[in-house]
Every structure is written in structure tokens, then in C-alpha cells.
Amino acid sequence: MLREMRKKRMQEAKAKREVTKQKSKQKRQDKADHWKNLQQQQIIYLGEDVSKGLHQTDSEIEKLLQFSLPVFENVSDFSQKSGFGLSLIKYLAFHRKVSKKTHYHIFEIPKKSGGKRKISAPKPQLRHFQQWILENILNKISVGEVVHGFTAKRSIVTNAEPHLGKDIIINIDLQDFFPSISYKRVKGLFSKLGYSEQLSTIFALVCTQSHTEEILLDDVKYFVHKGERFLPQGSPASPAISNIIAYKLDKRLKGLAQKLGFVYTRYADDLTFSANQDNEENINKLLYFVRQVINAENFTIHPEKLHIMRSKHQQKVTGVVVNEKLNVERKKLRKFRALLHNIEVNGWQNQTWGKAFHLINAVEGYINFVNMVNPSKASVFKEKLDVIIAKHGKPIVEVRKLIPEIVEIIAVPEIKEEIIAPKEEKTDWWNIF
């Protein structure tokens, strides 16, 4: 009887264990299925240090409607309405410390003032995403009247006009304008517009990058990402983001300028103040408080690019001469006429214009710049260029073979007089150089 009882208890225990085992197995399977479904419907992890708020999907709908911005319940809703698949969104936004691929073409171009400027041109998929954010979100946010860079119907000319005929012009450049705008500030921007923690994180990740180093290990190229993410110089969304983030800076500087009797405008990283001679005594006071405001807004003045120009010397604002009337620098015009003459006589070979990559694009770009300021002079140059092309042909530009699928327009804040097209016009960005 005891043996039978023990045997029965063992069988019951074994059966119970089997039931428990099956329940645990089913529980694990259900959990895995739930996780899989969740991954297909949501994005819950995008890398270290950036995934904390991805579960927070509540947006401030009233604020979004106030700005006339599109409303999304969560990233899944955004995916359906925007046409970007969840897997693509995750791929483009994922924050990796090391990867075998990069979403940017990174290269350097020479600066007019010496040295080189690093450009991060997004590849097609990322560029398309950034362009969507620009057109559907960022372009709907109005910027202040003092902003003239990367804004519809404003240009270097409209930036120079308020300073025409002034006795004193003060020009200040901000150092590393785009790179100084961090991922946290970009994320905070989208949050302030009303988007949820989840969507703000995704938008900020897509619009920023980290410093990247290429490392070759066992014949395999790796991209190592270092430091905090920042606004890349080359993204179509970066100019609009920088203008919105600098809104408070512009508001404070405008108020300060008005209080001290100055006029203030900003074109990207170029700040300009102007006044008449009777305001000479306020220059030092203005400069002191401008430094305080810029530092408080987490920007930095370029130590070598603060200039005070008086009316007895040539005064330029974003490349436009503003002493008596809007004009182009005479010395540069003479050099350009000489260049066109040399090309007409000797052809395109061995001719240069500044540090331009390709002479034809530089020539066309400068003519377009002159056209914005003085159309009559530009028409003469255009006729001359037509004669040159008829005589010597047009040199072939092969840069696109070196950097395939490159971005169409690159916004480079420090390049003022070569940025020659109003925002609503589509322009080949190589004409900038």
C-alpha cells in the first residue's frame, strides 16, 4: 500500500510539474509574442542614454494645433501618416556607439578665411526624413523679424538694408553655430512645440549626429561615434532648427539694441548692430551686454570675428556694401571682370576664383550674388559669360562622381555672399562655391 501511495504521489507530482512547465512555456511564448507585436507597433529602444522616455506617447494637442502642426497619437500613428515604416524610422534614429554604416557623407571644404569646414551631407533616406520634418513641422513655426537667413522672402540683401547709411556697424560671428546646438536642445525644441517624449526623441535623433571617426579593423571599416550628438552642418533641417532655437537670443538682443539705440539683425551665425554717430558712447555698453546674453543662451562669440566699421571706411553686412547704397565690393568686382577677361582670352584652364572647387559654379554663383544686389551689373557679367561659353564651352563638373547621392542644398552659415538664392527657389548647392 505504501509503495502504491508513493507511486501515485510521484505520478501526480510529475503531472503537476508538467502542467507548470507548460504554463511557464506558454507564458514565455505569450511574452515573446507580445514583445514582438509591441516592436512591430512601437519603438521602445533606440540605444543607450536616449531611450528613457520612449514609452511616453502623450502629446500636447492644444499646443500643436495652436502652431498648426500635425498631431500624432504615437510613433505608429506617425508612421502611417508620414509613410515612413517603423523599421526605417528605427534604423535612421538608432543611437549607435559603433556601426559599420553611416547615414552621412562627411567631407571638408576650404574656408574663405583659411582652414577647413566639415560638412555632413545626409544620405537619401535620412535626407528625405529631415526634409519631411522641415516642410511639415519646422517651416510652420514663424521666426522673428530680425532673422534673415534661411527664411522665405529674406536674404543677405534684406539683412543688409536696415543698416544702410549708418555711421557705426558692429558685426559679431557666433563660433561653431550648428555644432553648439546639442541633441538635448533639439529634443527640447520639439517638446516645447507640443510633441510627446517619444516623438521628440525620434525627431531629435534624426536631426542630429555625433562626432564620427573611421577605424579599420581586420579590413572592416567601423564608424565610432564619440561625444554628445549635435546639429550637423549639411542637414536641410539644421538651419530652421537653429533659427527657432535662437528665438530667445534674438528677442533679448533686439530688446537690448532698441534700449541702447541700435538696429539688430541676424543672418545665421552673423549678428549685426548699427547706429548713428551720436550713439558712439553706447558701443562698449552694448558689447558688454551682448556678450552676457550670448553666453547665457549657450552660444559663443568667435574671438577673431568681432568688427566695428565706421562710415569713413567700407562697411559690409553679409557681403553687401552699405555705406551709401547697397552695392558689391568694388575691388572684388574688378577682380571678377579681370577673371572673365582672362577666361575669354585663354579659356577655363588654370583659372581660379577664391578657393572654389569648380570655377564655372563659382562664376555663376558670384553673378547670381551680384544680381541680388545690383541687377544691371549682373546682366553685363551674364552676357560676358554667354560669350565665353559660346567660345570655349562649359567645363564639366564631376564632383557628383566623387560624392554620390549628395544633398542638393547645403546650408553653410559662414558662407554669406555666395548663398545667392531665395529660399523658395531650388538651387544646385554647388553653385555656392
Side-chain angles (χ1 to χ4, degrees):
M1 286 177 63
L2 289 173
R3 280 197 300 270
E4 290 297 325
M5 289 173 63
R6 291 192 192 99
K7 186 177 180 180
K8 184 178 180 182
R9 284 200 301 268
M10 289 176 65
Q11 289 174 345
E12 289 174 351
K14 187 176 181 181
K16 190 175 181 180
R17 285 198 301 272
E18 184 62 29
V19 171
T20 302
K21 183 178 178 181
Q22 291 300 323
K23 286 182 178 179
S24 298
K25 184 178 180 181
Q26 186 61 44
K27 190 176 180 179
R28 289 194 299 271
Q29 184 62 43
D30 292 343
K31 189 176 181 179
D33 292 341
H34 174 71
W35 178 260
K36 186 176 181 180
N37 291 333
L38 191 63
Q39 285 183 313
Q40 291 176 347
Q41 299 175 10
Q42 293 292 332
I43 293 178
I44 53 181
Y45 185 75
L46 286 173
E48 291 183 38
D49 305 323
V50 298
S51 302
K52 186 176 180 181
L54 289 175
H55 64 285
Q56 299 178 11
T57 60
D58 295 331
S59 297
E60 298 181 56
I61 297 176
E62 291 184 3
K63 188 178 286 188
L64 292 172
L65 294 177
Q66 177 186 346
F67 291 116
S68 300
L69 298 177
V71 178
F72 309 105
E73 293 181 10
N74 49 41
V75 68
S76 180
D77 186 35
F78 168 75
S79 174
Q80 293 176 2
K81 291 178 179 178
S82 67
F84 297 101
L86 279 177
S87 58
L88 177 61
I89 295 172
K90 186 173 182 179
Y91 171 66
L92 295 176
F94 204 92
H95 177 62
R96 299 170 178 84
K97 297 295 178 75
V98 180
S99 62
K100 292 183 179 180
K101 294 183 179 180
T102 176
H103 296 305
Y104 290 90
H105 294 291
I106 300 175
F107 56 100
E108 293 181 333
I109 59 174
K111 292 183 179 181
K112 288 172 59 180
S113 56
K116 293 184 177 181
R117 180 184 294 110
K118 183 174 285 188
I119 302 297
S120 299
K123 293 180 179 179
Q125 288 181 318
L126 181 61
R127 183 175 75 244
H128 182 42
F129 201 153
Q130 292 171 344
Q131 192 70 34
W132 190 97
I133 292 174
L134 173 65
E135 294 173 358
N136 293 276
I137 298 176
L138 301 173
N139 280 349
K140 294 185 178 182
I141 307 300
S142 60
V143 295
E145 59 186 18
V146 298
V147 181
H148 294 267
F150 316 115
T151 305
K153 298 181 180 179
R154 298 183 194 176
S155 65
I156 54 175
V157 174
T158 62
N159 183 64
E161 284 174 341
H163 308 287
L164 183 63
K166 296 295 178 68
D167 297 316
I168 304 164
I169 292 180
I170 302 171
N171 183 258
I172 299 172
D173 271 28
L174 300 178
Q175 190 171 29
D176 298 327
F177 185 50
F178 284 178
S180 67
I181 299 176
S182 66
Y183 159 77
K184 290 182 180 179
R185 296 180 75 179
V186 178
K187 180 183 173 183
L189 164 63
F190 288 109
S191 294
K192 287 181 180 178
L193 294 179
Y195 284 108
S196 66
E197 184 83 0
Q198 182 190 61
L199 289 173
S200 296
T201 299
I202 292 169
F203 293 158
L205 287 171
V206 167
C207 291
T208 58
Q209 68 164 155
S210 301
H211 289 289
T212 305
E213 288 187 11
E214 294 184 17
I215 295 178
L216 196 64
L217 185 62
D218 296 332
D219 294 327
V220 179
K221 183 185 290 186
Y222 294 92
F223 298 92
V224 181
H225 306 277
K226 297 182 177 181
E228 189 176 2
R229 299 178 71 94
F230 58 89
L231 209 57
Q233 193 158 270
S235 161
S238 291
I241 290 174
S242 67
N243 276 343
I244 299 171
I245 285 180
Y247 175 80
K248 189 177 177 182
L249 171 73
D250 293 327
K251 189 175 181 180
R252 294 180 66 180
L253 291 180
K254 179 185 175 184
L256 174 63
Q258 289 178 338
K259 187 175 181 179
L260 296 177
F262 287 81
V263 174
Y264 165 69
T265 63
R266 180 176 65 83
Y267 189 99
D269 62 344
D270 191 322
L271 317 181
T272 305
F273 300 85
S274 64
N276 291 321
Q277 188 65 42
D278 56 4
N279 216 23
E280 178 83 24
E281 60 183 11
N282 285 329
I283 292 178
N284 289 335
K285 186 183 292 186
L286 175 77
L287 292 176
Y288 173 80
F289 285 110
V290 165
R291 290 181 187 276
Q292 303 302 314
V293 171
I294 289 174
N295 291 335
E297 294 300 323
N298 296 311
F299 292 104
T300 305
I301 294 178
H302 197 296
E304 299 176 1
K305 294 186 179 181
L306 192 158
H307 305 286
I308 300 176
M309 298 169 282
R310 305 185 189 279
S311 55
K312 62 182 179 180
H313 301 291
Q314 186 182 77
Q315 297 169 312
K316 289 199 302 181
V317 177
T318 47
V320 180
V321 178
V322 294
N323 289 69
E324 296 178 359
K325 63 179 182 178
L326 298 181
N327 212 336
V328 184
E329 186 180 357
R330 292 179 182 177
K331 185 177 180 181
K332 198 164 186 177
L333 282 175
R334 287 196 296 268
K335 287 183 178 180
F336 190 71
R337 290 192 190 96
L339 171 68
L340 293 182
H341 175 74
N342 288 335
I343 295 173
E344 183 180 11
V345 174
N346 304 310
W348 295 96
Q349 193 172 4
N350 299 325
Q351 304 290 345
T352 60
W353 180 245
K355 296 181 180 180
F357 285 124
H358 292 278
L359 185 57
I360 180 62
N361 290 328
V363 168
E364 291 175 339
Y366 186 73
I367 291 174
N368 288 331
F369 162 67
V370 174
N371 186 60
M372 292 179 65
V373 183
N374 194 322
S376 60
K377 290 181 180 178
S379 63
V380 176
F381 290 149
K382 287 178 182 178
E383 292 175 4
K384 191 76 169 179
L385 181 60
D386 290 339
V387 171
I388 291 171
I389 292 174
K391 183 177 180 180
H392 299 287
K394 198 171 183 179
I396 299 173
V397 177
E398 299 183 354
V399 175
R400 296 184 187 277
K401 294 181 180 179
L402 301 177
I403 309 173
E405 302 174 327
I406 203 68
V407 64
E408 291 181 356
I409 298 176
I410 285 189
V412 183
E414 294 182 17
I415 299 178
K416 278 91 177 184
E417 60 187 69
E418 283 82 4
I419 296 179
I420 45 77
K423 189 175 181 62
E424 60 267 24
E425 295 182 7
K426 195 99 170 183
T427 304
D428 185 350
W429 76 273
W430 289 106
N431 286 340
I432 293 172
F433 308 105

